[in-house]
Amino acid sequence: VQHHKAHFAAVLGEHRLLDQEDAVLGVIWDGTGYGEDGAIWGGEFFRYCGGAMERAGHLDNYDWLTGDKMAREPRLSLLSLWEGPGASIQEKFSREEWRLYSQLKEKNTLKTSSMGRLFDAVSSLLGLCDRNTFEGEGAMMLEAAAAGFDPGLATCHATLDPSGNIPARALVRSLHEARSSGNPVAQIAGDFIFTLVNLIFEKAALEAVGKVAFSGGVFQNALLVELLHRCNPGPFELYFHRELSPNDENIPFGQIMYHLNCH
């Protein structure tokens, strides 16, 4: 059973949603999972209805650079997503690193939709973390930086693209423009998470569903979960893990649920 489908089946199984008739949107966001198309998935939307589970959208693909090293160095995620002038981020690399990584980016064929690496990229963009000293450090520093976020001043920096996917590069570009304009780091960090929340509800409306279920390590982010509850426009029922962690501990349970209920 594919990794992210197992995540989705796990939260569906916890809430006994696998045998009901209404369609459910699954928002499955984490760092890494091998996708059915050979890419590295991690920012996925799924639709479940009547035993059928289908991928319904994702974070727009970008280059997966240097294998597992990308997860240890948020600056590499930023490089992958970067479309602005190189001088703006080149200081994060030595001259030789910049030359080698730039060549690698030009030749790379492996793609990813990882939401975890997008969090890393934004953490590096805001000057919070270029190299992790423990797993998830960049994302944790980003969440901590957003402690001073004022929801009353929140700005949404992106909408879904015509395919119903999240435009990763456009989002990074807009956040960079906000930082270049002198906006506080705390507000930009919060705006990033606020934008993701708005994109989730935009996708739910596009899919015409009333139920939205969440799984994957990204949903350990307390501000993300808080804003999902606070910004819910009304008609959506939200389902989060209760007995299991949103992280990979729920995968075996999800595999069993998928095997017993999906086709």
Side-chain angles (χ1 to χ4, degrees):
V1 179
Q2 196 275 334
H3 181 86
H4 299 93
K5 289 183 175 180
H7 266 302
F8 189 19
V11 68
L12 291 173
E14 268 200 72
H15 290 278
R16 302 183 183 276
L17 295 172
L18 287 158
D19 57 357
Q20 52 90 51
E21 296 182 356
D22 295 340
V24 184
L25 177 68
V27 185
I28 314 301
W29 290 354
D30 62 6
T32 305
Y34 188 68
E36 294 176 339
D37 59 359
I40 306 299
W41 288 5
E44 310 308 308
F45 291 117
F46 291 97
R47 184 184 177 92
Y48 176 81
C49 187
M53 186 182 293
E54 299 178 340
R55 194 184 190 204
H58 53 88
L59 181 67
D60 192 33
N61 284 342
Y62 55 98
D63 291 319
W64 181 266
L65 301 175
T66 70
D68 289 343
K69 187 177 183 180
M70 189 168 174
R72 298 193 296 270
E73 299 189 15
R75 63 181 186 154
L76 292 171
S77 296
L78 178 59
L79 174 62
S80 177
L81 286 158
W82 189 253
E83 292 184 332
S88 299
I89 64 168
Q90 193 168 348
E91 63 184 18
K92 297 178 181 291
F93 303 88
S94 70
R95 181 178 299 179
E96 183 65 9
E97 284 176 333
W98 184 258
R99 183 183 69 82
L100 290 172
Y101 291 145
S102 296
Q103 290 179 354
L104 182 61
K105 186 176 179 181
E106 291 176 2
K107 298 177 181 179
N108 180 74
T109 58
L110 183 59
K111 303 296 181 181
T112 185
S113 59
S114 171
M115 183 61 71
R117 300 293 76 78
L118 178 60
F119 270 73
D120 282 350
V122 175
S123 184
S124 180
L125 174 69
L126 298 181
L128 301 171
C129 183
D130 288 330
R131 292 179 175 86
N132 289 332
T133 60
F134 57 86
E135 185 177 357
E137 181 178 5
M140 291 174 68
M141 293 183 72
L142 181 65
E143 181 180 2
F149 168 66
D150 183 351
L153 301 175
T155 298
C156 187
H157 286 270
T159 58
L160 297 175
D161 68 20
S163 298
N165 296 329
I166 297 174
R169 293 174 185 82
L171 176 52
V172 169
R173 185 168 59 248
S174 181
L175 294 170
H176 172 63
E177 291 170 356
R179 190 182 184 207
S180 298
S181 298
N183 292 7
V185 167
Q187 193 64 31
I188 299 172
D191 281 349
F192 167 62
I193 297 172
F194 175 79
T195 298
L196 296 178
V197 168
N198 278 270
L199 291 168
I200 288 170
F201 290 127
E202 184 182 351
K203 184 66 174 180
L206 185 65
E207 293 291 326
V209 299
K211 295 179 170 65
V212 187
F214 305 87
S215 188
V218 169
F219 291 101
Q220 295 175 111
N221 186 299
L223 178 60
L224 176 60
V225 174
E226 177 188 342
L227 288 178
L228 281 164
H229 285 296
R230 183 186 299 185
C231 300
N232 187 349
F236 302 113
E237 299 175 38
L238 309 183
Y239 296 90
F240 297 88
H241 287 286
R242 297 177 300 185
E243 303 298 327
L244 301 172
S245 162
N247 217 338
D248 287 356
E249 297 95 307
N250 68 57
I251 292 296
F253 175 68
Q255 290 171 327
I256 294 170
M257 291 296 98
Y258 186 96
H259 175 71
L260 293 175
N261 295 278
C262 300
H263 54 75

